[in-house]
Amino acid sequence: MPEADSAKGEKKFYEDVPMKTPGFFLKGASSLDWGMKNRLSRIFNPDSGRTVMFAIDHGYFQGPTTGLERIDLTIVPLMYYADAIMLTRGILRTTVPPSLTKPVVMRCSGGPSILKELSNEELAVDIEDAIRMNVAAITLQVFIGGEFETRSVHNMTRLVDMGLRYGIPTMAVTAVGKDMVRDARYFRLACRICAELGAQIIKTYYVPDGFETITASCPVPIVMAGGKKIPVLDALTMAYNAVQEGASGVDMGRNIFQAEAPEAMMKTVHKVVHENLKPAEALEMYETLKNQD
Ligand code: R5P
């Protein structure tokens, strides 16, 4: 029986020493193939090394989420201000104009609805179809500690294998069940497992205590998940802290599309992520843009 890591000594994360990235701007990506690096460079801005990804894939398990009822009317116009869009193939093909050249991060898992056990997912998109849609990355949930943990991890390793075959990076989303503790210890475990098993990008939640240990111990870029709608200043502060503490950007949905002024919020998050705009100034920017709208 393998032993759990029960060493008594304090762990050393060297949070203040960034991992070296020889030959490429993103950590963990130096040895990847040209196509993979090119796709990553479309998602992450090579100058800042960061991204503002816009998550609108909620419908794949919870139907027409508040703010996403009419993607054609309210969401498509916002896509032009994002660095990348994360969505399902149904919405891409029915609603997004093919002339939009933003990199697409394609939701490739699904199965259970909000009415059932969410960790019971399967892969739900073929790699051939992902290629047909010219995606920049493929993505799925990984439920570490969830009821169907092994299935979701194997979904990920299969997706990683398919992606590697064609130079398409996989983004693993660390999903948190209702009863799970959201702390640094849990997210270090979840993120590291996903990276060790091959994901090239990890999307995970921000925690106020020890987030830098999560980014430091994960050898691939982490993007911060937005989570449920919170006050604007709190959301901007969370995004600011995440990038200061080692995240390579954000993947936000509800805190953008459920904001009173979504376009203002998107533009402000962009400044926070790429230009390190501080939270108080960012709030000011948001209010100014909101009033202009
Ligand atoms: C994970 O469950 C999905 O990717 C979500 O649909 C999406 O990431 C949620 O984004 P947010 O929490 O920022 O609304």
Side-chain angles (χ1 to χ4, degrees):
M1 179 72 178
E3 289 165 16
D5 178 9
S6 56
K8 288 277 178 292
E10 209 172 293
K11 287 181 192 278
K12 295 185 179 70
F13 294 105
Y14 304 101
E15 298 95 317
D16 49 342
V17 186
M19 187 170 141
K20 287 205 168 69
T21 60
F24 194 64
F25 69 97
L26 277 181
K27 76 172 173 177
S30 303
S31 304
L32 297 174
D33 185 55
W34 193 95
M36 187 84 80
K37 283 180 175 158
N38 179 260
R39 288 187 172 90
L40 288 168
S41 305
R42 294 176 57 215
I43 297 170
F44 295 90
N45 181 324
D47 294 328
S48 66
R50 296 176 183 162
T51 187
V52 176
M53 200 183 290
F54 187 30
I56 56 147
D57 61 327
H58 309 55
Y60 94 95
F61 71 101
Q62 61 180 28
T65 306
T66 306
L68 297 179
E69 299 90 338
R70 285 295 301 271
I71 290 180
D72 56 330
L73 299 179
T74 61
I75 300 297
V76 168
L78 295 173
M79 291 178 179
Y80 293 87
Y81 303 104
D83 294 319
I85 51 173
M86 177 195 189
L87 75 180
T88 60
R89 63 177 164 185
I91 292 300
L92 185 79
R93 283 206 170 96
T94 58
T95 316
V96 179
S99 54
L100 183 98
T101 54
K102 295 287 172 182
V104 168
V105 178
M106 178 55 57
R107 156 69 52 191
C108 292
S109 62
S113 73
I114 191 95
L115 308 174
K116 296 276 188 176
E117 168 53 43
L118 288 175
S119 67
N120 192 12
E121 282 194 346
E122 301 276 356
L123 288 182
V125 175
D126 273 349
I127 194 69
E128 285 77 12
D129 201 32
I131 295 165
R132 206 175 286 126
M133 291 179 282
N134 195 28
V135 306
I138 43 187
T139 186
L140 83 171
Q141 305 298 104
V142 179
F143 296 84
I144 300 300
E147 193 176 334
F148 293 91
E149 172 183 73
T150 302
R151 175 177 303 177
S152 73
V153 169
H154 283 171
N155 287 343
M156 184 193 80
T157 53
R158 277 163 47 222
L159 200 61
V160 167
D161 282 332
M162 290 190 280
L164 282 168
R165 210 169 295 148
Y166 299 103
I168 304 179
T170 296
M171 181 172 85
V173 182
T174 65
V176 189
K178 284 190 204 88
D179 308 322
M180 281 176 205
V181 191
R182 290 180 178 224
D183 62 10
R185 190 166 179 230
Y186 172 76
F187 289 118
R188 281 197 302 264
L189 173 79
C191 293
R192 183 64 173 259
I193 289 173
C194 293
E196 296 254 359
L197 292 176
Q200 289 87 10
I201 311 168
I202 315 286
K203 167 175 170 171
T204 201
Y205 290 91
Y206 182 75
V207 289
D209 282 333
F211 186 74
E212 64 284 357
T213 65
I214 305 171
T215 54
S217 58
C218 180
V220 299
I222 284 186
V223 292
M224 183 207 79
K228 66 175 193 305
K229 175 80 177 73
I230 53 178
V232 170
L233 179 59
D234 294 353
L236 294 171
T237 304
M238 185 168 75
Y240 178 81
N241 289 342
V243 294
Q244 299 310 312
E245 292 164 26
S248 302
V250 300
D251 184 10
M252 292 171 86
R254 287 164 288 177
N255 278 292
I256 292 178
F257 63 72
Q258 290 178 353
E260 202 186 330
E263 188 180 314
M265 189 62 178
M266 177 82 85
K267 289 176 175 168
T268 308
V269 170
H270 206 269
K271 278 266 183 203
V272 169
V273 167
H274 291 293
E275 296 178 35
N276 301 306
L277 188 68
K278 294 213 165 76
E281 293 154 55
L283 181 64
E284 230 171 86
M285 174 178 170
Y286 170 77
E287 294 294 346
T288 309
L289 292 174
K290 187 178 92 176
N291 293 335
Q292 280 168 11
D293 280 356

